[in-house]
Amino acid sequence: MKDMTAEGGFRYSYNSLVYAGEDLAVSVDRVARFGYDAIEVVGEPEQIDAKRVAKLTQDAGIGVSSICSIYTPERDLIHPDPDARNTAIQYVKDLVDFAATMECPTVVVHPTANMKIKALADPAQEWQWAVESIRNAGEYAAPRGVSFSLECWNRFESYFLNRLEQARRLWAETGLTNGGVQGDTFHMNIEEASLADAYRDSAGVLQHVHFADSDRTAPGGAHIDFVPIVDALVEIGYDKYISFELLPALADPFSGGRHEEFFDRYTERAIRVIRAMEDLVRTRRTLGGKG
């Protein structure tokens, strides 16, 4: 497996979520063929054989960067019903075991269900439930060598944790040391005043990064300027994964269906465009200028 950290570069991954219905053997082969260091695997332990994925990735010479957790209404870490919260905590613990089997370092965490846009209880109480639930699962993860990445979503997908400063505050309150926060450029393009500064302000606690352009396709096709973002990541010494989470322009992007451009075309474009920007930024910095 390639160790880009030793070479002073980013590590690149592609989220298999968009490879809807495809056998993971084909997905792993594609990601390896286009030069990625790892693949991000969908967080459905009952549907995906972790031991098979571990073997596939090992044979392909890549790793598993992260688990793209799927937070449905039944997986709500801040639900008012304690039994429902316990069910959600158990889901995250199951993801920890799932990740550990694949030697995957990171499980993505969001405190509530995707597309839940209204609180079901007092906000202060929900915040406390988030702290307690994440701490509970995180303490289970630590001895198993798994870290958490607390992700922010835009306001149209969640009312809870929209900006990185909120995630940093919540993470600090858990008291956990195995993990940190995560910014996704698609969500950040809606919520952050400056994407580069939001990453820069997360130095030391940035665990994982999702890249997508403003229309959630591969970088280089819409209006996000990734050069200052890449420069910020280089500046803070970010040495973990940049994973491309790309999804089609549907009201429900998780509804399935095969969208051909997200397979070979966007898989190739994503790493080519960002790797070129990384090279540009690092060259400029070596020559004494900023990216």
Side-chain angles (χ1 to χ4, degrees), residues 158-186:
S158 179
Y159 64 96
F160 201 99
L161 291 192
N162 303 127
R163 298 183 307 282
L164 277 170
E165 58 90 8
Q166 297 169 325
R168 293 195 301 270
R169 181 161 58 92
L170 179 58
W171 182 254
E173 290 186 27
T174 69
L176 296 170
T177 57
N178 54 318
V181 302
Q182 172 177 336
D184 180 314
T185 56
F186 172 76

Side-chain angles (χ1 to χ4, degrees), residues 1-273:
M1 188 186 308
K2 291 172 284 187
D3 183 3
M4 294 302 294
T5 319
E7 300 173 20
F10 300 140
R11 290 179 285 179
Y12 289 97
S13 179
Y14 197 90
N15 191 336
S16 61
L17 180 63
V18 79
Y19 295 155
E22 180 175 82
D23 187 275
L24 267 166
V26 179
S27 303
V28 167
D29 175 74
R30 177 185 299 107
V31 167
R33 177 162 40 91
F34 285 120
Y36 287 82
D37 304 288
I39 190 168
E40 186 165 319
V41 174
V42 178
E44 295 293 356
E46 295 184 0
Q47 300 174 23
I48 297 172
D49 184 342
K51 291 183 179 178
R52 178 173 180 254
V53 176
K55 179 68 164 57
L56 288 170
T57 52
Q58 182 179 19
D59 289 349
I62 66 171
V64 179
S65 64
S66 38
I67 304 300
C68 177
S69 312
I70 306 298
Y71 292 97
T72 63
E74 298 76 33
R75 298 166 177 173
D76 187 346
L77 292 163
I78 61 171
H79 197 283
D81 182 349
D83 290 337
R85 291 200 303 278
N86 287 334
T87 296
I89 291 168
Q90 186 57 55
Y91 167 67
V92 179
K93 289 180 177 179
D94 290 344
L95 292 182
V96 168
D97 294 333
F98 184 58
T101 300
M102 295 180 281
E103 298 185 4
C104 166
T106 299
V107 169
V108 177
V109 174
H110 187 83
T112 195
N114 188 263
M115 300 309 297
K116 177 185 165 193
I117 57 172
K118 291 184 180 179
L120 299 179
D122 176 75
Q125 179 61 77
E126 288 196 330
W127 186 271
Q128 190 57 38
W129 284 331
V131 170
E132 293 169 357
S133 296
I134 294 167
R135 180 188 295 140
N136 183 325
E139 289 174 346
Y140 179 83
R144 291 161 176 80
V146 175
S147 295
F148 285 173
S149 182
L150 193 55
E151 185 177 26
C152 302
W153 295 341
N154 73 74
R155 70 192 71 184
F156 305 109
E157 295 185 40
S158 179
Y159 64 96
F160 201 99
L161 291 192
N162 303 127
R163 298 183 307 282
L164 277 170
E165 58 90 8
Q166 297 169 325
R168 293 195 301 270
R169 181 161 58 92
L170 179 58
W171 182 254
E173 290 186 27
T174 69
L176 296 170
T177 57
N178 54 318
V181 302
Q182 172 177 336
D184 180 314
T185 56
F186 172 76
H187 300 295
M188 294 169 72
N189 183 58
I190 297 171
E191 299 296 342
E192 303 284 0
S194 165
L195 282 69
D197 285 345
Y199 281 132
R200 194 174 284 112
D201 291 343
S202 300
V205 74
L206 189 63
Q207 173 68 22
H208 193 56
V209 167
H210 273 165
F211 270 12
D213 217 321
S214 56
D215 59 355
R216 222 167 193 176
T217 64
H223 70 243
I224 293 180
D225 182 0
F226 282 90
V227 172
I229 297 169
V230 170
D231 185 67
L233 293 176
V234 171
E235 180 182 325
I236 66 174
Y238 181 73
D239 60 1
K240 297 179 172 65
Y241 284 101
I242 292 176
S243 181
F244 298 97
E245 184 181 78
L246 314 178
L247 290 170
L250 302 172
D252 179 7
F254 308 104
S255 59
R258 186 178 175 102
H259 298 264
E260 290 295 334
E261 65 273 27
F262 289 87
F263 289 72
D264 279 15
R265 179 180 165 195
Y266 287 165
T267 306
E268 184 277 333
R269 187 173 88 189
I271 191 169
R272 171 173 49 81
V273 167

